[in-house]
Amino acid sequence: MTTIFDKIIRRQIPASIVYEDDLTLAFKDVNPQAPVHLLVIPKEPIPQLAQAEPSHQALLGHLLLVAQRVAAEVGLTNGYRLVINNGQDAGQTVFHLHIHILGGRPLAWPPG
Ligand code: AMP
């Protein structure tokens, strides 16, 4: 199923892209929940974490390292939170796997 993130990957709709490599893309969330709110996505359209497979092991690790790199590049030196919403109860709205990077303010715990 095509999602809005496929369209961002294909440059069919605009996004504020902050990082790209062969396997991943990172861009600003259009509805930020913190002063810094970025999304890191694989270019491969895995709908959600629950549908990732052992063959995705390296890609999943790469996504975390991209998140680490992007967080450092945007100056999140005081810390940040990575979030993956998986499925209905977690409030997932876009069914293309993505990691939220949230930072720039103290973040409450537990999340809602
Ligand atoms: P989730 O609820 O985990 O599925 O998160 C989806 C995220 O995608 C939300 O935080 C939305 O604000 C964000 N989003 C939806 N459409 C766009 C878009 N066109 N550009 C950037 N972020 C988007």
Side-chain angles (χ1 to χ4, degrees), residues 8 12 16 19 21 30-31 38 57-58 66 71 80 92 100 111:
I8 290 173
Q12 292 168 343
S16 295
Y19 176 84
D21 62 27
V30 77
N31 182 25
L38 304 169
Q57 182 167 323
V66 168
Y80 52 88
Q92 185 178 2
H100 296 259

Side-chain angles (χ1 to χ4, degrees), residues 26-48:
F27 51 92
K28 293 183 181 175
D29 195 294
V30 77
N31 182 25
Q33 301 302 310
V36 177
H37 188 173
L38 304 169
L39 302 172
V40 183
I41 68 171
K43 290 185 174 176
E44 180 180 341
I46 303 165
Q48 58 181 351

Side-chain angles (χ1 to χ4, degrees), residues 4-5 8 13-16 27-33 37-39 47 83-87 90-96 98-100 102:
I4 199 153
F5 291 175
I8 290 173
I13 62 168
S16 295
F27 51 92
K28 293 183 181 175
D29 195 294
V30 77
N31 182 25
Q33 301 302 310
H37 188 173
L38 304 169
L39 302 172
V83 173
I84 297 175
N85 292 322
N86 184 88
Q92 185 178 2
T93 57
V94 179
F95 284 80
H96 182 127
H98 50 281
I99 300 175
H100 296 259
L102 295 152

